[in-house]
């Protein structure tokens, strides 16, 4: 019969370097989790992450700090998996700040988009946004998205693109910014010309009653909120298609 006083396979134990467990003290609770997260065995650290969330805020902080910054990509993946569905503001901020999603999520790589945005190369970032979106939907051979591609676009990829634009624009640009403005004007999934015109004016896509041409888009950090991304040529250069895109993506964000 197993002795409940004896340490289990992954228990953290105090009592020297002797292989004998006699006289050693078995740790428990959050301190045990903390020590297991320092274990050289990746499997032990992954198991510790899952256990950590049983200990409230302290455990959550361990996953945020230790898990997302672990040297092992496998541990980072597990930490991100455990955190990505949580709604706490500090969790969402941590995932964005650490770019954890770039290492472990999405159907394509977003390193190039991140680099363009970090360097302030907004026109390049806008073009890369289009490229990333057609890659995510396996439409490279066509170079554009169809309406059904908007509806079936992977949510994880959409959120990654949006989070990157938000992070590097200080919250001024991104699909979620466009969504907020569009819905604040009464926008829904149904096309409404009056609302769409008001939206175009609000984000600077329409000036003096005329829709901008592709060459007139402003790739400047001082552009109106929601001005970017445009996803150049993603919607065949037709602003009406952009409206359908935003209205369909709003429910995914």
């Amino acid at each position: 019969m197993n002795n409940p006083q004896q340490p289990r396979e992954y228990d953290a134990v105090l009592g020297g370097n002797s292989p004998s467990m006699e006289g050693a003290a078995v740790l428990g609770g959050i301190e045990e989790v903390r020590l297991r997260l320092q274990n050289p065995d990746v499997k032990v650290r992954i198991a510790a992450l899952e256990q950590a969330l049983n200990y409230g805020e302290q455990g959550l902080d361990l996953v945020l700090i230790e898990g997302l910054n672990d040297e092992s990509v496998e541990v980072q993946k597990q930490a991100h998996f455990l955190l990505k569905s949580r709604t706490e503001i500090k969790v969402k901020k941590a995932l964005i700040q650490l770019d954890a999603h770039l290492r472990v999520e999405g159907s394509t790589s977003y390193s190039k988009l991140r680099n363009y945005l970090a360097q302030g190369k907004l026109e390049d970032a806008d073009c890369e946004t289009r490229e990333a979106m057609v890659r995510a939907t396996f439409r490279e051979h066509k170079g554009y998205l169809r309406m059904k591609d908007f509806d079936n676009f992977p949510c994880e990829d959409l959120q990654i693109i949006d989070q990157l634009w938000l992070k590097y624009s200080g919250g001024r640009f991104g699909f979620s910014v466009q969504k907020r403005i569009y819905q604040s004007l009464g926008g829904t999934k149904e096309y409404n010309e009056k609302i769409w015109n008001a939206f175009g004016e609000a984000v600077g896509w329409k000036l003096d009653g005329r829709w901008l041409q592709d060459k007139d888009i402003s790739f400047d950090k001082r552009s109106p909120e929601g001005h970017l991304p445009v996803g150049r040529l993603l919607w065949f250069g037709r602003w009406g298609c952009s409206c359908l895109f935003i209205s369909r993506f709003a429910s995914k964000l």
Side-chain angles (χ1 to χ4, degrees):
M1 182 174 179
N2 292 332
N3 187 338
Q5 299 302 316
Q6 291 298 312
R8 293 161 296 179
E9 181 181 2
Y10 294 135
D11 277 342
V13 178
L14 297 180
N17 295 323
S18 170
S20 172
M21 295 300 179
E22 186 177 356
V26 179
L27 296 181
I30 193 67
E31 291 306 319
E32 176 186 348
V33 175
R34 200 184 306 276
L35 285 178
R36 289 173 67 191
L37 286 171
Q38 305 302 319
N39 194 293
D41 189 331
V42 168
K43 292 181 179 179
V44 175
R45 302 204 299 277
I46 288 176
L49 288 177
E50 297 173 356
Q51 185 185 9
L53 293 181
N54 295 324
Y55 296 96
E57 287 295 314
Q58 283 185 301
L60 179 60
D61 288 341
L62 283 179
V63 178
L64 284 169
I65 298 169
E66 303 289 344
L68 291 179
N69 289 289
D70 196 276
E71 62 183 18
S72 166
V73 173
E74 291 304 311
V75 177
Q76 293 172 16
K77 284 184 178 182
Q78 183 62 19
H80 187 268
F81 174 76
L82 294 171
L83 295 170
K84 68 179 183 178
S85 61
R86 298 187 69 102
T87 58
E88 293 93 333
I89 293 176
K90 70 177 182 180
V91 173
K92 293 182 176 297
K93 285 184 176 180
L95 294 179
I96 295 173
Q97 288 294 324
L98 295 172
D99 285 348
H101 47 278
L102 292 180
R103 298 191 290 269
V104 300
E105 290 290 349
S107 63
T108 185
S109 171
Y110 292 96
S111 297
K112 185 181 290 187
L113 176 58
R114 175 188 56 186
N115 293 340
Y116 284 143
L117 287 168
Q119 295 165 14
K121 298 179 178 179
L122 298 184
E123 184 169 4
D124 290 331
D126 194 68
C127 289
E128 179 57 24
T129 295
R130 179 184 68 83
E131 294 300 321
M133 292 178 74
V134 296
R135 287 198 303 268
T137 50
F138 307 102
R139 295 281 296 172
E140 301 99 312
H141 63 298
K142 293 294 185 180
Y144 61 87
L145 302 187
R146 301 160 296 183
M147 289 301 109
K148 67 178 182 179
D149 297 317
F150 295 155
D151 292 329
N152 298 324
F153 196 88
C155 289
E156 200 71 52
D157 291 274
L158 179 64
Q159 291 167 358
I160 290 172
I161 295 171
D162 182 53
Q163 287 171 355
L164 286 172
W165 276 98
L166 282 173
K167 175 180 177 178
Y168 291 103
S169 70
R172 293 184 57 78
F173 303 138
F175 296 135
S176 58
V177 178
Q178 294 170 349
K179 168 195 170 182
R180 171 174 54 79
I181 296 171
Y182 181 68
Q183 291 185 333
S184 73
L185 295 168
T188 66
K189 273 193 171 185
E190 302 301 322
Y191 176 74
N192 181 299
E193 184 175 2
K194 182 178 179 180
I195 291 174
W196 181 239
N197 284 329
F199 174 79
E201 292 173 356
V203 299
W205 290 355
K206 186 177 184 181
L207 296 176
D208 300 324
R210 300 182 62 180
W211 290 94
L212 299 183
Q213 295 184 24
D214 186 66
K215 63 181 178 64
D216 297 322
I217 296 297
S218 174
F219 297 99
D220 190 305
K221 288 185 177 181
R222 296 167 295 182
S223 298
E225 279 192 314
H227 190 72
L228 300 172
V230 177
R232 302 180 77 183
L233 305 181
L234 182 61
W235 308 287
F236 318 100
R238 294 184 299 167
W239 291 109
C241 290
S242 297
C243 173
L244 295 174
F245 163 81
I246 291 172
S247 63
R248 279 168 163 75
F249 272 21
S251 62
K252 290 177 176 285
L253 287 166

